[in-house]
Amino acid sequence: MYRNEEVEDIKKKMLICGVAFVFVLLIGLLVVLNRFRFDEASVLKELQKKETFVVLIHNGNYEKCSEALNEMGISYYLFDVSSSSYDEVLTRLHITYDVKVPAIYVIEDGEVVFNITNVSDKKTVKEFIQNNNISALLEGDE
């Protein structure tokens, strides 16, 4: 039997492309997972230090809230309800009820001062930020 050099060359190229694809996919997955884990770890750190901050609790559907917060210049942490530390965060915040997401919690000195749950539109988020003067609260903490 003879070896077809073109077929062997194609097999090598396919193997290299497959390995490269898996490598890029794993790197991308790590970046995405670390982004959310970083926020989750940061929320716990901020609570331990009794800092003032905003956290957006979500289950994947948070675009409207995120856009409104970004438009208003509010820095916030994203926190997914599927996080392993979700129950711990709720306990530290003394939240004993079922949180309807997406929800925005404003934390001052490690305690909840304002919150809004089950947010359905950007207008509601903007009114919440303005009515509670959250921008000034966050600026006063710096």
Side-chain angles (χ1 to χ4, degrees):
M1 223 170 177
Y2 70 94
R3 291 178 41 159
N4 187 339
E5 290 180 22
E6 288 180 14
V7 172
E8 293 297 321
D9 191 39
I10 290 173
K11 285 182 183 179
K12 287 180 186 176
K13 287 180 181 179
M14 285 176 51
L15 180 63
I16 291 171
C17 287
V19 169
F21 175 76
V22 169
F23 181 73
V24 169
L25 184 67
L26 288 176
I27 296 294
L29 187 60
L30 286 173
V31 167
V32 169
L33 290 177
N34 282 335
R35 164 72 171 114
F36 292 114
R37 284 191 183 136
F38 177 75
D39 271 1
E40 291 164 4
S42 295
V43 169
L44 287 172
K45 287 179 187 174
E46 296 292 312
L47 285 172
Q48 288 173 346
K49 295 188 301 185
K50 299 197 179 290
E51 296 291 335
T52 299
F53 62 99
V54 174
V55 62
L56 171 55
I57 300 175
H58 68 91
N59 62 355
N61 182 21
Y62 60 90
E63 291 79 22
K64 292 177 184 177
C65 294
S66 177
E67 288 173 10
L69 290 169
N70 290 336
E71 288 173 10
M72 299 200 67
I74 303 294
S75 297
Y76 59 94
Y77 292 103
L78 279 175
F79 197 86
D80 195 322
V81 296
S82 64
S83 166
S84 60
S85 57
Y86 179 67
D87 289 334
E88 181 181 355
V89 167
L90 292 183
T91 301
R92 287 181 186 226
L93 293 174
H94 308 292
I95 297 172
T96 57
Y97 52 87
D98 187 31
V99 177
K100 302 292 183 191
V101 292
I104 299 171
Y105 281 80
V106 180
I107 315 300
E108 183 178 26
D109 300 327
E111 300 291 329
V112 176
V113 288
F114 303 111
N115 71 62
I116 185 170
T117 61
N118 201 21
V119 182
S120 59
D121 57 43
K122 289 169 54 172
K123 180 182 176 196
T124 304
V125 174
K126 289 181 177 183
E127 289 174 354
F128 170 72
I129 299 297
Q130 291 170 342
N131 292 341
N132 295 301
N133 204 12
I134 293 170
S135 297
L137 177 71
L138 295 174
E139 288 173 3
D141 188 52
E142 295 175 358

